[in-house]
């Protein structure tokens, strides 16, 4: 049974259209004091259930835990949790003494009332090891690269930093495009230079791909650098489009177009991860 988490209605609909599976809706409401209520509409007793629920913004994380509990308490035979966007993934280690490892804390909590876990483009591959249940990470980067080829017709793909280098390289190779990444070089105490490491972008069309766009700061800076290096067109794509505050406005002025997937449902969700997740349900 597909349990349609309230955070992912469009993705759940797309999944439902692709597979012959029984589904249940989840009713939610917020009490006057801000507390959240969830109720499974269908009967999950003795059913193998797959819950799809993304975790941005914060309230959807709370809903996730409560729906897992509802499944457990109402007798689901097994619970698979698909979290298209796994929030808190960027805090995956102690960077400064005294910090929590949020990516680990939530992995442990999810594992208490689930048998399996799956996500899309976790911020780091190591996060799967935080789970005490079988966990896997699927990547949407190739899908983003294919979409770029169809709609943007770029000359190359660019990773905005070294962290995104490997996934962008893999995506570029899968569609036969050139790729590069932006490298920061410190010129002196007050000056850094950011430019493509190997490739001259003069007169070219580039798509920058990253896992997350949050404030848009990384993408905006990357796009401005590429334009400054003579790129003719710069498009920005990501798996998880959070678009915090005025991110879309900033991005729209720096990039020719901006697109993301439906792991977080946005106006710019031009790419669906449904085909990547179908196999996780059937
Ligand atoms: C960072 O490690 C991530 O891969 C993204 O580059 C980052 O989260 C983007 O954040 P923002 O849009 O706020 O610059």
């Amino acid at each position: 049974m597909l349990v349609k988490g309230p955070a992912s209605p469009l993705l759940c609909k797309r999944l439902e259209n692709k597979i012959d599976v029984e589904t249940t809706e989840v009713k939610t409401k917020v009490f006057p004091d801000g507390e959240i209520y969830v109720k499974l509409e269908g009967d999950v007793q003795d059913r193998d259930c797959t819950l799809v629920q993304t975790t941005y913004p914060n309230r959807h994380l709370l809903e996730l835990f409560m729906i897992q509990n509802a499944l457990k308490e109402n007798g689901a035979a097994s619970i698979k949790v698909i979290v298209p966007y796994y929030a808190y993934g960027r805090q995956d280690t102690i960077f400064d003494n005294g910090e929590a490892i949020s990516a680990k804390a939530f992995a442990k909590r999810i594992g208490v009332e689930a048998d399996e876990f799956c996500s899309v483009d976790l911020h780091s591959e190591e996060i799967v090891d935080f789970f005490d249940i079988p966990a896997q990470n699927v990547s949407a980067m190739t899908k983003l690269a294919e979409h770029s080829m169809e709609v943007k017709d770029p000359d190359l793909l660019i990773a905005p930093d070294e962290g995104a280098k490997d996934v962008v390289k893999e995506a570029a190779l899968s569609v036969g495009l050139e790729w590069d990444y932006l490298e920061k070089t410190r010129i002196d105490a007050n000056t850094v230079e950011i430019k493509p490491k190997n490739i001259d972008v003069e007169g070219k069309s580039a798509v920058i791909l990253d896992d997350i766009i949050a404030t848009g700061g990384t993408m905006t800076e990357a796009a401005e650098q590429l334009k400054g290096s003579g790129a003719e067109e710069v498009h920005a794509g990501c798996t998880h489009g959070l678009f915090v505050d005025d991110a879309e406005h900033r991005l729209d002025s720096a990039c020719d177009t901006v697109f993301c997937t439906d792991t977080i449902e946005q106006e710019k969700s031009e790419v669906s991860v449904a085909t990547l997740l179908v196999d996780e349900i059937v």
Side-chain angles (χ1 to χ4, degrees):
M1 181 179 269
L2 171 64
V3 181
K4 298 162 71 178
S8 304
L10 180 63
L11 179 56
C12 285
K13 187 91 215 139
R14 286 173 172 160
L15 286 165
E16 202 181 336
N17 289 341
K18 286 184 186 303
I19 40 176
D20 185 19
V21 68
E22 211 179 322
T23 66
T24 180
E25 303 280 339
V26 181
K27 183 178 159 192
T28 59
K29 66 181 178 187
V30 181
F31 290 108
D33 60 1
E35 288 188 359
I36 288 168
Y37 167 94
V38 308
K39 181 182 186 295
L40 301 168
E41 298 283 28
D43 180 6
V44 297
Q45 179 82 42
D46 299 327
R47 313 300 297 271
D48 292 312
C49 294
T50 300
L51 164 63
V52 178
Q53 167 83 350
T54 214
T55 54
Y56 177 81
N58 274 330
R59 73 170 191 283
H60 291 318
L61 187 63
L62 275 182
E63 287 168 357
L64 170 73
F65 299 150
M66 292 173 68
I67 300 165
Q68 284 185 249
N69 179 259
L71 288 165
K72 192 92 188 166
E73 294 292 344
N74 288 275
S78 67
I79 303 167
K80 180 163 191 170
V81 172
I82 296 181
V83 175
Y85 170 61
Y86 185 71
Y88 292 88
R90 285 169 286 183
Q91 184 76 33
D92 58 0
T93 189
I94 294 179
F95 298 101
D96 202 3
N97 282 344
E99 290 177 348
I101 306 177
S102 320
K104 190 174 184 176
F106 292 121
K108 298 290 175 205
R109 177 60 193 82
I110 289 170
V112 171
E113 289 178 311
D115 301 288
E116 271 184 83
F117 173 84
C118 176
S119 187
V120 182
D121 285 326
L122 286 165
H123 183 61
S124 64
E125 195 61 46
E126 290 69 36
I127 292 173
V128 293
D129 298 329
F130 292 153
F131 286 83
D132 298 319
I133 53 174
Q136 69 159 325
N137 180 32
V138 298
S139 180
M141 280 293 157
T142 298
K143 283 227 149 288
L144 288 168
E146 286 166 357
H147 178 77
S148 304
M149 292 290 277
E150 279 161 27
V151 182
K152 320 290 176 192
D153 193 23
D155 298 302
L156 74 161
L157 298 184
I158 297 272
D161 53 35
E162 280 207 63
K165 196 173 81 172
D166 291 341
V167 282
V168 170
K169 176 183 174 185
E170 203 181 314
L173 294 179
S174 73
V175 293
L177 269 182
E178 279 196 295
W179 70 279
D180 201 0
Y181 66 97
L182 295 182
E183 196 181 48
K184 214 182 262 187
T185 313
R186 184 157 293 284
I187 309 295
D188 58 40
N190 300 312
T191 327
V192 290
E193 188 181 67
I194 303 175
K195 59 175 191 178
K197 184 164 167 58
N198 301 307
I199 295 177
D200 180 8
V201 294
E202 177 88 44
K204 293 190 176 167
S205 166
V207 174
I208 315 170
L209 293 181
D210 205 354
D211 60 339
I212 300 170
I213 296 179
T215 65
T218 306
M219 276 296 185
T220 303
E221 195 176 331
E224 283 168 357
Q225 292 303 326
L226 292 178
K227 288 263 168 110
S229 301
E232 197 173 298
E233 272 181 45
V234 178
H235 306 274
C238 69
T239 307
H240 314 295
L242 277 68
F243 304 130
V244 175
D245 298 331
D246 67 340
E248 287 190 74
H249 181 249
R250 293 173 70 190
L251 289 158
D252 285 343
S253 33
C255 308
D256 291 275
T257 62
V258 181
F259 59 99
C260 61
T261 76
D262 53 4
T263 59
I264 297 170
E265 298 178 13
Q266 303 279 15
E267 237 175 76
K268 295 184 190 301
S269 296
E270 291 176 21
V271 178
S272 180
V273 296
T275 50
L276 294 174
L277 296 177
V278 159
D279 292 343
E280 302 305 320
I281 295 168
V282 290

